[in-house]
Amino acid sequence: MIASIISLLVAAVALLGGQAAAYNRRFIENSSDTEQVIISGASSFNGLNLVPQMGWNNWNAFQCNVSESLLLDTAEAMVNFGLKDLGYNYIVLDDCWSIGRNESGYLIPNPLKFPNGMKYIADKLHSMGMKFGMYSSAGVFTCGRYPGSLGFEQQDADLWASWDVDYLKYDNCFNQGQSGTPQISFNRYNVMSQAINKTGRPMIYSLCNWGNDDPYDWAYTIANSGRMSGDIYDQFNRPDSRCPCTEAVGCAWPGFHCSVMNILNKMAAIQSRTMSGYFNDMDMLEVGNGGQSDSEYVVHFSMWAMHSSPLLIGTNVLTLSPANLAILSNPAIIALNQDPSASAAIRKWQYFIDPDETGQGEIALWTRRLANGDQVIALLNAANSTMKMNATMNEIFLDPRTAGAYHEPEELRKTWDVYDLWANRLSESEASAIINSTPMIGITNMNSTKTPRATRYNATTTSYADGLKNNDTALLGQKVGSIEPRGTWVAEIPRHSVGMYRLRARPTTRMRKRDELY
Ligand SMILES: *[C@@H]1O[C@H](CO)[C@@H](O)[C@H](O)[C@H]1NC(C)=O
Ligand SMILES: *[C@@H]1O[C@H](CO)[C@@H](O)[C@H](O)[C@H]1NC(C)=O
Ligand SMILES: *[C@@H]1O[C@H](CO)[C@@H](O)[C@H](O)[C@H]1NC(C)=O
Ligand SMILES: *[C@@H]1O[C@H](CO)[C@@H](O)[C@H](O)[C@H]1NC(C)=O
Ligand SMILES: *[C@@H]1O[C@H](CO)[C@@H](O)[C@H](O)[C@H]1NC(C)=O
Ligand SMILES: *[C@@H]1O[C@H](CO)[C@@H](O)[C@H](O)[C@H]1NC(C)=O
Ligand SMILES: *[C@@H]1O[C@H](CO)[C@@H](O)[C@H](O)[C@H]1NC(C)=O
Ligand SMILES: *[C@@H]1O[C@H](CO)[C@@H](O)[C@H](O)[C@H]1NC(C)=O
Ligand SMILES: *[C@@H]1O[C@H](CO)[C@@H](O)[C@H](O)[C@H]1NC(C)=O
């Protein structure tokens, strides 16, 4: 996150002074390859984060207004609303928590904001089944001009480990000009990666260098996720000169005030560089912050899940509306995010047809193959009016690698049942009932026997993978039709909405005939 103009200017000078980012061609040529792992042998460098991290981060809603009670009350609400048991288990404290370093060089937490210190918070969170995320910058200051960790990496990592911290978000402000090529950025971020490793404490390492120097090409060897664009803002598609790039690759000036559609479309060229253990981070969610309509938030949440972006709730959970709880707690969408395929979606087509505030008004088809052979399609209407949208079997299943091949993909000969992933969204009254139910724990009474109101799914008792094996309707959504071999899926999608469908192949008749022979 970028908190001050001053830090931006410093970063700009650093960028202009450095060489233009040397983008690695090897990776772009086969960028629409999904099944082939582009970076061969890649997997989580530290064994953590095989599926994207989920949780909450205070920045989007509270910026520097952080405190012990904010973190603990939010965690408690997340337990009570069933969000923890849907998978949102990291409470990530962002900038502005420290006041400086003590005589021995250790960071000092702000005693007014955190009167009991950080270990106390970690202990409380752990007793609730949650985990604790910490923030710093790979610079001499954080973006909010608090002390950064550049040059203090091991000392800071040791301190966090002594507090039982589980996660580090590591920003890019005041980096002393140590950027401009992938190698320079790699070296700077690698120091902290090694420092964390040396502590011996497993911690998720979340790079936040805004996509500078193309982290999706190198950060998988040292980190668990990496931001791929400038900072998000709570707008669906409004262009902003402070977020000038429309492509992630080689973007010299990532900036901030990037809209949902701006960030989403930057994923198209880098989707192949999302993998188990390293996720392209599209930035924290804005759902609930008031700048978008309900259907726009549905698009935002759906597409972040579809791309295996980390899902960090970025709003005030204590004042969450029923509608926003219903969006954030749709297990059929979260199951896409937590799918073991750990991949991002491919944009099969994009047309600009019906001008809206961007002057373009696009519609697009995104698809993704899931680990169990299901296929998910997103028919996205970011145009200004309702559209009848089509996805043909060829569009869904042909990819550039197989298009010219002699054998057509067998998927084209199958019948696919179509499940609408938003059909079972919690109603307003169901979501209100969850929000208004009796609180379960109470920070002061951990022994209460009350249980939280169940949402539709409890991933603590049944993993998403097991739920899918059991054909749990909470994860499948509702069957709304099927696509015959070589058929087309047609749906009417309102303005600024998305149709999210999980496709499941029916067993082929060919198989059945062969069975009969034996
Ligand atoms: C792209 O993929 C094709 C087919 O798998 C392969 O022959 C080619 O070498 C790849 N190109 C690069 C630059 O890796
Ligand atoms: C800071 O956050 C608290 C809630 O944690 C809120 O009550 C207070 O009004 C906020 N202060 C400012 C200045 O925004
Ligand atoms: C500095 O902070 C560290 C970590 O909290 C602590 O162990 C140490 O005693 C402090 N040193 C001084 C001189 O205050
Ligand atoms: C440190 O790195 C080694 C080698 O990559 C790895 O096996 C180990 O799990 C890491 N430890 C931690 C705490 O991340
Ligand atoms: C978008 O549609 C609304 C009506 O729904 C209209 O008022 C507005 O002018 C349209 N915007 C553009 C850029 O055409
Ligand atoms: C969908 O298909 C119909 C019939 O083929 C066509 O008229 C319509 O333009 C298509 N819609 C889009 C958005 O391509
Ligand atoms: C919770 O129960 C345990 C064991 O029954 C007891 O030792 C502890 O004091 C209780 N804690 C609270 C906060 O009541
Ligand atoms: C989910 O299941 C766990 C373990 O069975 C239970 O402790 C928890 O209360 C359940 N959560 C909800 C929201 O029902
Ligand atoms: C789930 O549904 C598929 C058909 O879509 C079926 O083959 C499978 O047996 C079902 N699994 C269970 C556990 O019911």
Side-chain angles (χ1 to χ4, degrees), residues 457 462-473 475-476 504:
Y457 197 75
T462 312
S463 71
Y464 286 103
D466 284 345
L468 285 167
K469 266 185 217 144
N470 302 336
N471 299 332
D472 191 320
T473 54
L475 303 187
L476 286 184
R504 304 205 116 183

Side-chain angles (χ1 to χ4, degrees), residues 229-233 235 243 254-260 262-263 266:
S229 84
D231 289 0
I232 193 171
Y233 83 143
Q235 291 290 320
C243 176
F256 54 109
H257 278 208
C258 299
S259 70
V260 163
N262 173 282
I263 296 173
K266 284 173 177 161

Side-chain angles (χ1 to χ4, degrees), residues 176-226:
Q176 300 287 87
Q178 292 183 36
S179 69
T181 71
Q183 189 67 53
I184 296 172
S185 286
F186 174 92
N187 291 346
R188 179 164 49 96
Y189 277 93
N190 188 29
V191 181
M192 182 57 85
S193 182
Q194 300 302 320
I196 290 171
N197 185 278
K198 241 187 183 165
T199 69
R201 183 170 174 84
M203 285 186 221
I204 287 186
Y205 184 37
S206 156
L207 243 76
C208 178
N209 76 332
W210 326 316
N212 261 164
D213 295 333
D214 305 323
Y216 26 81
D217 284 344
W218 47 263
Y220 69 98
T221 59
I222 58 168
N224 297 111
S225 63

Side-chain angles (χ1 to χ4, degrees), residues 25-30 33 36 401:
R25 282 270 136 215
R26 264 183 310 132
F27 298 126
I28 203 172
E29 278 182 26
N30 285 334
D33 262 6
Q36 184 182 319
R401 273 179 323 127

Side-chain angles (χ1 to χ4, degrees), residues 143-341:
C143 299
R145 294 194 142 254
Y146 294 88
S149 294
L150 194 65
F152 291 88
E153 289 87 354
Q154 193 62 56
Q155 190 167 14
D156 291 354
D158 288 344
L159 184 62
W160 299 323
S162 78
W163 293 339
D164 288 344
V165 164
D166 306 293
Y167 182 118
L168 175 66
K169 170 179 174 178
Y170 205 37
D171 218 329
N172 194 27
C173 286
F174 296 102
N175 62 32
Q176 300 287 87
Q178 292 183 36
S179 69
T181 71
Q183 189 67 53
I184 296 172
S185 286
F186 174 92
N187 291 346
R188 179 164 49 96
Y189 277 93
N190 188 29
V191 181
M192 182 57 85
S193 182
Q194 300 302 320
I196 290 171
N197 185 278
K198 241 187 183 165
T199 69
R201 183 170 174 84
M203 285 186 221
I204 287 186
Y205 184 37
S206 156
L207 243 76
C208 178
N209 76 332
W210 326 316
N212 261 164
D213 295 333
D214 305 323
Y216 26 81
D217 284 344
W218 47 263
Y220 69 98
T221 59
I222 58 168
N224 297 111
S225 63
R227 283 274 305 283
M228 43 59 71
S229 84
D231 289 0
I232 193 171
Y233 83 143
D234 189 14
Q235 291 290 320
F236 181 66
N237 61 355
R238 195 165 83 195
D240 192 301
S241 58
R242 288 163 287 190
C243 176
C245 298
T246 54
E247 291 293 335
V249 175
C251 173
W253 181 231
F256 54 109
H257 278 208
C258 299
S259 70
V260 163
M261 288 302 298
N262 173 282
I263 296 173
L264 171 63
N265 280 322
K266 284 173 177 161
M267 281 298 293
I270 60 170
Q271 67 80 222
S272 64
R273 278 98 93 210
T274 283
M275 66 197 83
S276 186
Y278 181 80
F279 296 97
N280 277 305
D281 183 351
M282 299 164 76
D283 208 353
M284 301 163 299
L285 297 167
E286 293 284 4
V287 176
N289 289 336
Q292 300 177 55
S293 70
D294 187 83
S295 76
E296 289 168 345
Y297 280 142
V298 166
V299 172
H300 173 24
F301 186 65
S302 300
M303 298 313 291
W304 264 230
M306 177 97 166
H307 280 295
S308 297
S309 172
L311 294 181
L312 277 301
I313 295 171
T315 195
N316 185 349
V317 178
L318 302 171
T319 58
L320 194 62
S321 72
N324 289 316
L325 176 64
I327 293 173
L328 294 169
S329 62
N330 181 347
I333 296 295
I334 300 172
L336 305 178
N337 185 257
Q338 298 291 294
D339 194 82
S341 56

